[in-house]
Amino acid sequence: MVRYLAKEGERLDVIIYAYYDSLDVFEEVLNQNPHLVNSIEMKRGDIVYLLTFEQDIIIEDAISLW
């Protein structure tokens, strides 16, 4: 888990999109940050816990030798 310190006026959705390049994990990240549930804009120094996910490696169109 990564600990991120927010800047004044930042929004959680913007932080999540910048970190994950997607908002697919928004609800999971919000569940790890119940202290931010009612925050629209964060204050400087608010802590956001960002989850780390192991990515499954998917090989598409692989060529089989056998």
Side-chain angles (χ1 to χ4, degrees):
M1 188 171 302
V2 174
R3 202 174 125 196
Y4 176 82
L5 292 176
K7 297 172 188 76
E8 186 69 33
E10 275 189 302
R11 293 189 344 237
L12 185 59
D13 62 327
V14 174
I15 292 169
I16 291 172
Y17 190 81
Y19 188 77
Y20 297 104
D21 200 28
S22 171
L23 291 175
D24 292 342
V25 296
F26 183 86
E27 191 171 330
E28 291 174 70
V29 173
L30 189 58
N31 288 337
Q32 292 297 316
N33 294 279
H35 58 286
L36 300 175
V37 169
N38 294 319
S39 301
I40 295 172
E41 291 185 350
M42 289 183 253
K43 298 178 185 120
R44 186 177 136 246
D46 279 348
I47 297 172
V48 180
Y49 296 102
L50 299 168
L51 305 168
T52 53
F53 298 99
E54 290 186 30
Q55 293 183 348
D56 293 332
I57 299 173
I58 300 172
I59 301 174
E60 294 181 22
D61 301 323
I63 299 172
S64 176
L65 298 177
W66 292 271

